[in-house]
């Protein structure tokens, strides 16, 4: 077999142009409405409290989340896709890690929203992942000064670094008070309420807000005998 191409999972992938073409064909899969990547990440367990639906069933789903959220470029997505076929055990381990980090982030923010102390085990987990992420950061000069950047996203778990970091930064910021869960009991997606008056109730008006409005309209009509 020629260098630069490989038969993986029945699909012929070459290292450069072909894989880039494949990634361009991929439509976004995740609804990113939270305004913070760590909260969007929490929302990948959909309908969490009533009928949980796992949106990260495979490592490929996790990588696609990274792509949709802008943490990984298309070529990086393709590279991790390919490598996960070659090292499936490592990919599975990182998927498990991702799920543990996600639940830790959820548990910490959920406790805070409900005016309870953050569960120590969840906070310890988030701390450990945030510290690991910090070990992959370096300062680079920019036009106006410096900024933190992460090492090259070649490692299987590299897309977890900015997620852990975003959660840690949010916890230590004055935005913490504006982390909310959607008011729909069948949704409860997390988001950062950046609205002017901080009265946002819904993850998304079309997804949950309108549904609730229709429901209220129906109840009102029914109780007034109009339906
Ligand atoms: Zn919602």
């Amino acid at each position: 077999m020629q260098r630069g191409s490989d038969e993986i999972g029945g699909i012929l992938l070459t290292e450069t142009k072909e894989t880039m073409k494949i990634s361009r064909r991929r439509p976004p899969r995740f609804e990113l409405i939270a305004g913070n990547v760590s909260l969007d990440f929490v929302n990948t367990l959909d309908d969490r409290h009533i009928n949980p639906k796992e949106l990260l069933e495979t490592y490929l789903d996790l990588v696609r989340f990274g792509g949709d959220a802008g943490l990984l470029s298309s070529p990086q997505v393709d590279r991790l896709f390919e490598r996960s076929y070659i090292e499936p055990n490592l990919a599975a381990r990182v998927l498990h890690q991702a799920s543990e980090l996600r639940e830790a982030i959820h548990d910490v923010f959920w406790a805070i929203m409900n005016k309870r102390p953050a569960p120590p085990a969840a906070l310890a987990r988030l701390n450990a992942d945030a510290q690991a992420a910090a070990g992959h950061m370096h300062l680079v000069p920019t036009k106006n000064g410096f900024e933190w950047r992460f090492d090259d996203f070649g490692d299987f778990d590299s897309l977890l670094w900015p997620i852990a970091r975003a959660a840690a930064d949010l916890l230590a910021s004055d935005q913490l008070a504006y982390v909310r869960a959607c008011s729909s009991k069948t949704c409860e997606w997390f988001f950062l309420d950046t609205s002017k008056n901080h009265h946002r109730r819904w993850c998304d008006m079309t997804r949950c807000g309108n549904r609730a409005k229709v429901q209220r309209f129906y109840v009102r009509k029914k109780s007034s005998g109009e339906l």
Side-chain angles (χ1 to χ4, degrees), residues 182 184 187 203 207-208:
C182 177
S184 162
C187 173
C203 65
R207 193 183 132 95
C208 287

Side-chain angles (χ1 to χ4, degrees), residues 37-139:
V37 73
S38 70
L39 304 181
D40 278 321
F41 190 55
V42 167
N43 297 340
T44 59
L45 185 61
D46 195 15
D47 214 353
R48 169 183 292 273
H49 294 123
I50 294 186
N51 184 21
K53 182 169 175 278
E54 179 58 81
L55 304 183
L56 302 180
E57 288 184 315
T58 67
Y59 180 76
L60 300 187
D61 295 330
L62 178 64
V63 172
R64 287 199 62 174
F65 175 84
D68 285 3
L71 305 176
L72 302 170
S73 67
S74 292
Q76 287 168 330
V77 167
D78 291 330
R79 229 169 17 241
L80 288 172
F81 262 42
E82 286 185 45
R83 288 182 49 212
S84 72
Y85 285 109
I86 298 162
E87 295 183 80
N89 293 341
L90 182 55
R93 204 157 62 232
V94 170
L95 179 65
H96 183 68
Q97 260 179 38
S99 151
E100 286 187 345
L101 171 62
R102 180 185 66 188
E103 296 317 297
I105 296 172
H106 169 270
D107 292 354
V108 168
F109 283 109
W110 183 247
I112 291 164
M113 272 183 253
N114 289 286
K115 315 244 179 296
R116 291 197 305 265
L123 189 58
R125 175 63 205 232
L126 177 55
N127 254 321
D129 282 8
Q131 281 167 0
H136 293 281
M137 294 177 77
H138 55 271
L139 282 167

